[in-house]
Amino acid sequence: MFNQSPPTPAHDVLTKWTRAGRVRRIITQNVDGLHQRSGADCVTDLHGRIDRVICLKCKATSSRSSLQGRLKEANEHFIERALQEGGKQQPDGDFQFDDECGGDFNVCTCSECGGILKPDVTFFGDNVPKDRVDMCMADVNSADAVLVIGSTLSVYSAFRFVQHAARLEKPIAVVNLGETRSERSGHPVLKINMKCDEAMVICDGLLK
């Protein structure tokens, strides 16, 4: 599903601004890798990337697609057999199997150390790695201004950077359709209440 989604006009405008030197760093809450697919190379994936897996033991990362290949090889004909025995595909794409069938599934481990693998994303309840947070804070410190695009800032892991910018009295602009946590907190922001793609294309036109 993620691999099939193309970058939006807002992604493309941001990439254009990075190449022109108008934007030095993109900090994204999303895990889809669309900023990189658009061509941006100055991206911090705050919550990780869904197209990577990480070992819980040695922290080695690898691509999700390579793991899929390993799983397919290790479980040849498993899906077909499970469906024949009553397995059902759920609306979200997951399959539900009975306990007996599920016991035949071979789980792949880390190819480096044999540890347990998980998607390289920060799930709700997990903490963003401290070094990543520190890097983002440093980016806010050196920024002339902060632009928030398409986020309600409900999640504190991202909202803290706006809080930090406000404490430093940095100019803050927010592009989002609807109220965000920044306005509710009383931070002085320039609010653009529009859809992101529409607003970004208009702003890009004004900069020409």
Side-chain angles (χ1 to χ4, degrees):
M1 180 68 73
F2 284 106
N3 288 336
Q4 297 172 358
S5 301
T8 68
H11 290 103
D12 293 338
V13 169
L14 270 179
T15 296
K16 178 181 177 181
W17 288 358
T18 64
R19 291 172 176 168
R22 292 192 174 105
V23 172
R24 189 177 68 249
R25 172 62 53 181
I26 298 171
I27 302 172
T28 179
Q29 295 175 259
N30 296 328
V31 297
D32 50 26
L34 288 180
H35 287 291
Q36 290 90 337
R37 202 175 303 172
S38 177
D41 59 4
C42 55
V43 182
T44 298
D45 298 292
L46 185 63
H47 297 145
R49 289 276 296 271
I50 197 65
D51 60 354
R52 290 194 306 248
V53 292
I54 186 169
C55 175
L56 296 178
K57 184 178 180 181
C58 72
K59 305 304 179 184
T61 59
S62 56
S63 72
R64 186 80 173 262
S65 59
S66 67
L67 176 60
Q68 288 296 119
R70 291 173 59 203
L71 286 169
K72 184 176 181 180
E73 184 177 347
N75 295 279
E76 189 175 6
H77 307 308
F78 176 83
I79 295 295
E80 293 84 351
R81 186 173 70 254
L83 290 174
Q84 290 174 358
E85 296 178 9
K88 296 181 180 179
Q89 186 170 11
Q90 304 302 302
D92 62 0
D94 287 348
F95 277 84
Q96 180 178 340
F97 309 115
D98 58 38
D99 293 339
E100 182 177 348
C101 180
D104 295 334
F105 187 80
N106 295 308
V107 177
C108 294
T109 58
C110 175
S111 57
E112 298 291 331
C113 72
I116 297 173
L117 299 173
K118 69 176 282 288
D120 188 16
V121 299
T122 301
F123 292 106
F124 286 104
D126 292 343
N127 293 319
V128 176
K130 185 178 184 303
D131 59 343
R132 198 178 300 165
V133 174
D134 291 343
M135 182 171 64
C136 292
M137 286 294 189
D139 286 327
V140 174
N141 288 339
S142 61
D144 297 320
V146 172
L147 173 63
V148 179
I149 304 170
S151 175
T152 62
L153 298 170
S154 297
V155 180
Y156 180 72
S157 58
F159 178 61
R160 61 180 142 194
F161 304 123
V162 175
Q163 280 187 314
H164 187 53
R167 284 193 294 267
L168 296 175
E169 298 184 345
K170 305 268 187 180
I172 302 168
V174 177
V175 179
N176 192 68
L177 194 59
E179 188 181 44
T180 75
R181 189 174 181 179
S182 189
E183 295 102 87
R184 292 194 299 272
S185 298
H187 294 147
V189 301
L190 170 65
K191 177 63 185 298
I192 302 175
N193 194 49
M194 295 175 64
K195 293 181 178 179
C196 296
D197 287 341
E198 180 182 353
M200 292 297 287
V201 169
I202 291 174
C203 288
D204 186 50
L206 294 173
L207 289 173
K208 293 179 179 178

